[in-house]
Structures are given as C-alpha cells and as structure tokens.
Amino acid sequence: MARVFNFSAGPAVLPEEVLRQAQADMLDYQGCGMSVMEMSHRSAAFANIIETAEADIRDLMSIPDDYHVLFLQGGATQQFAAIPMNLMRNKKADYIVSGSWSKKAAKEAKLYGDVNVVASSEDENFSYVPDVDGLAFDADADYVYICQNETIYGTRYPKLPAVGNVPLVSDVSSMFLSEPVNVSDYGIIYGGVQKNVGPAGVVIVIVREDLVREDVIPTTPTIMRYLTQVDAKSLSNTPPCWGIYICGLVFKWLKGLGGLDAMKAMNEEKAALLYDFLDSSRLFKGTARKDCRSLMNVPFITGDADLDAKFIAECKNHGIENIKGHRSVGGMRASIYNAMPKAGVQALVDFMAQFEKENA
Ligand SMILES: *Cc1c(COP(=O)(O)O)cnc(C)c1O
C-alpha cells in the first residue's frame, strides 16, 4: 500500500488514524455485529455516535449553549438557499463577494430577496479580501454574508467585518476546525465537511437560537427549515450516518492532538514552510495578496502555462497528487488541510526547489 501526499481541495485528505479506525470498525462496530453503514439511524448505537460527535465539536469550538449544531445533507451549496429562506424576513441581505463561493451564494440569495453586494474583489480576480473597515452595512439587513476562506483563490479574512447587531453568516467550509473561532461573533457558521473535516455528504450548520424561527419564507421546504432539524436533532429524515461517524472520529483525533489552538500552530508552521519558499523562489509565485493568504489553500504559478503543466505532471513521480489549480485560476494549488502532514508540505517544497533548479 502506498499512500500519496494528496493536495486535493476537496474531497480531501483524511487523517490516516481515522481511516484505520474506520477500517477496524468496518464489519463490526463496537460489538454490534454490523457496520455503521448498516445500522438504523434510530438505534442506540447511532444515537451515541451523533450525540458524542455533537459534544466533541461543541468542546473543540467552545460553542455556546444558545447555538444549535446541525448535521445536514445538501452540502454548502444547499445552504446558499437555506440561509436566505430561513433568515430573510426583511427580504434583504448584505454580501461581501471575495471569490466564486460567495459569488454563487449571493446569486442564489437573489432568488429570495434583495442582495446588496457591499464589497467585491472581483476587479483583481479575487486575489484579495475586500477591506472590511468602513464598510456600510444596512442596519435593517437580515444578515451579512461572507465566505471566510475562499478555497479557489486561497484567501482568508484577516479580520471579520464589524456588523453591529446584524447577524454575520460565514461559510467556513475550507477552514473548518483549522484554528479557533469565536462562535459568538456569528449568527450562523457553517461548512461542508469534505474539505477539512470528513467525507462528502455532511454539512455542519451552527446556528444561533434566535435565528431558528417559524416565520421563514413560506415556500421553504420543510426539510430545509432549521426549526425542523433543530426539533428533530438532525434526524428529521435519515441523516448521512456514515459521514457523521467519520466526522466524530476526526473530532476525537483533533482533541487528541490538543484541539484547535494546537491545530492552528501546526497549520501556521506548514503554511509558512510553503509561503516562505514561494516568497524566495525565482520560478514560483503565490497568487493571493500577502495580507489575506489562506492557511489552507495555497495557489501558485510559474507564469508559464506549459511549465505549470510540466510541474504538475512531474509531481506524480514524487508522490504528490491533485496539485493542479482550479480551472478558473490555472497554475497549481496546494490544499494543506489539517490532515496533511508536515512531511507532505516538505516533500512538495523539496520538489519545487529541485524543479526550479532544473527549469529556471
Ligand atoms: C467546496 C465549497 C463549497 C461547496 O460545497 P458543496 O459541499 O460542494 O456544496 C462552498 N463553499 C466553499 C468555501 C467551498 O470550499
């Protein structure tokens, strides 16, 4: 068995320890005589899995009691609709557009109300996060929306916008559990788990109590109402049982490593390794502006598309996979999520240095 260093943006690398635990549990989960994939979502064994997962993520993120934690399906993309449907009472929201994901979310929200794009960085191909100081938010807006880490362009908010009493809604899909956050700063903080937390098929929505209400847009499907899922504890219908189980194992793994403070230190160390190389390289250069670089997704280019293609092809011979950039940016992108070991980043930097010598 040869595991590669998988730099995929998502679905992405998972901790080897978690995969081994899942393997050990595969045929017989803790003496049940069946796999987690085969058991009723109403069974005592599964109740324990989802309740433990919730307790562990609450612990990891220090989630206050007045927030609900929902384990849902439909991905982050379904939340692009669920958020306006559940929150748009005044039928207006402010969006900051800092990349493809927030742009998509804003477009979807327009189906349900007035969307005011208060700032955008599209003028420079989303290579930076708009300055949030001095932005004028509508005090009557139902919420202010951001995507805190833009997976494709490799940018992350250096600081959160000051939104006053308007709830801040943040898509943290590609930075979920990579560093501590102050949950109280948000009305909703949510993300698809297949970037940094688990397998595809689960989206975790952490929503403040007062935003879970009956007076949603009337055509909101029952299953997409937060109240439905809060009342049912995410079990309104069959949840993504297997995915929730794997997320639970990842939460235990994170706690074992020392939680999110420890994770942040490790992520900063890995990111610095790659960014320091990029900043001193004669061949490669990062595409995101320095003051808003992501710790998780690192896009870079040589400036020559043929050379980029050659580099990507040769990476395979060094156990480096999924390094090709998103089609809208080109070049390369290294996603260095929690589960990417430092040795993987080191292997990438070593090969970049070798390639530079041979090609610069
Ligand atoms: C991948 C991604 C999405 C889309 O997630 P799906 O689960 O495919 O719907 C949304 N937002 C961000 C920031 C992402 O990285």
Side-chain angles (χ1 to χ4, degrees):
M1 182 200 69
R3 300 256 310 154
V4 296
F5 291 123
N6 176 12
F7 290 91
S8 170
V13 57
L14 284 166
E16 202 168 305
E17 293 91 324
V18 165
L19 296 177
R20 287 190 192 284
Q21 183 63 49
Q23 182 180 42
D25 289 345
M26 184 62 77
L27 296 183
D28 176 10
Y29 177 74
Q30 294 189 357
C32 292
M34 65 181 89
S35 154
V36 174
M37 278 183 270
E38 301 170 294
M39 63 178 58
S40 167
H41 59 295
R42 311 274 177 211
S43 64
F46 187 73
N48 185 258
I49 288 172
I50 192 167
E51 283 163 18
T52 304
E54 177 172 343
D56 284 337
I57 192 174
R58 282 188 177 277
D59 199 17
L60 278 167
M61 294 179 73
S62 306
I63 300 175
D65 289 342
D66 60 333
Y67 285 76
H68 297 285
V69 178
L70 303 174
F71 295 94
L72 307 176
Q73 307 195 55
T77 304
Q78 190 173 85
Q79 294 304 311
F80 295 172
I83 288 159
M85 287 178 135
N86 279 276
L87 264 50
M88 272 191 175
R89 302 194 174 84
N90 296 328
K91 294 259 172 148
K92 52 183 181 177
D94 287 346
Y95 277 68
I96 301 178
V97 172
S98 60
S100 305
W101 294 117
S102 39
K103 189 176 174 182
K104 268 193 163 177
K107 185 173 177 223
E108 185 71 8
K110 277 183 196 148
L111 297 172
Y112 307 101
D114 292 331
V115 168
N116 180 25
V117 175
V118 288
S120 166
S121 54
E122 193 163 13
D123 58 342
E124 291 184 34
N125 198 29
F126 298 125
S127 57
Y128 68 101
V129 173
D131 184 7
V132 297
D133 288 330
L135 288 181
F137 298 107
D138 182 347
D140 293 329
D142 292 306
Y143 58 93
V144 174
Y145 185 100
I146 62 171
C147 173
Q148 210 166 323
N149 186 87
E150 279 281 0
T151 323
I152 294 172
Y153 303 91
T155 62
R156 148 176 171 268
Y157 277 65
K159 68 189 248 198
L160 294 177
V163 294
N165 290 327
V166 180
L168 179 64
V169 175
S170 180
D171 173 358
V172 294
S173 295
S174 46
M175 61 178 286
F176 222 156
L177 302 176
S178 65
E179 57 181 289
V181 289
N182 182 17
V183 175
S184 308
D185 289 341
Y186 305 87
I188 294 180
I189 179 166
Y190 81 98
V193 304
Q194 76 274 22
K195 309 291 161 66
N196 203 27
V197 185
V202 184
V203 55
I204 299 175
V205 179
I206 301 164
V207 52
R208 205 173 63 208
E209 170 78 20
D210 61 293
L211 299 174
V212 179
R213 287 165 42 170
E214 272 177 47
D215 56 335
V216 300
I217 291 179
T219 50
T220 306
T222 308
I223 190 70
M224 284 171 68
R225 294 173 187 230
Y226 293 138
L227 187 59
T228 304
Q229 294 288 10
V230 164
D231 284 347
K233 295 184 175 303
S234 304
L235 300 175
S236 165
N237 66 329
T238 316
C241 301
W242 171 258
I244 293 167
Y245 154 72
I246 299 288
C247 289
L249 293 181
V250 171
F251 301 158
K252 292 280 188 220
W253 176 77
L254 288 167
K255 289 176 89 171
L257 288 175
L260 301 191
D261 285 309
M263 214 59 239
K264 182 181 189 206
M266 287 183 242
N267 287 327
E268 282 175 342
E269 197 186 331
K270 284 187 290 174
L273 191 58
L274 185 48
Y275 283 127
D276 287 349
F277 177 81
L278 285 169
D279 290 343
S280 63
S281 171
R282 287 171 297 128
L283 181 63
F284 297 100
K285 82 177 210 321
T287 56
R289 206 172 73 189
K290 275 189 189 179
D291 61 332
C292 28
R293 283 168 164 178
S294 169
L295 289 181
M296 298 277 99
N297 312 100
V298 184
F300 58 96
I301 54 171
T302 63
D304 173 343
D306 292 337
L307 210 49
D308 288 351
K310 184 176 179 210
F311 175 76
I312 292 161
E314 290 186 13
C315 272
K316 281 196 183 296
N317 305 329
H318 293 78
I320 294 163
E321 293 279 345
N322 293 319
I323 199 78
K324 196 175 193 302
H326 191 271
R327 58 189 184 279
S328 62
V329 194
M332 285 69 69
R333 172 177 48 173
S335 293
I336 50 174
Y337 296 123
N338 287 350
M340 171 60 64
K342 192 179 169 195
V345 183
Q346 189 64 59
L348 173 62
V349 167
D350 289 348
F351 177 57
M352 288 167 78
Q354 181 191 326
F355 188 87
E356 178 171 318
K357 271 205 196 94
E358 292 166 358
N359 295 276

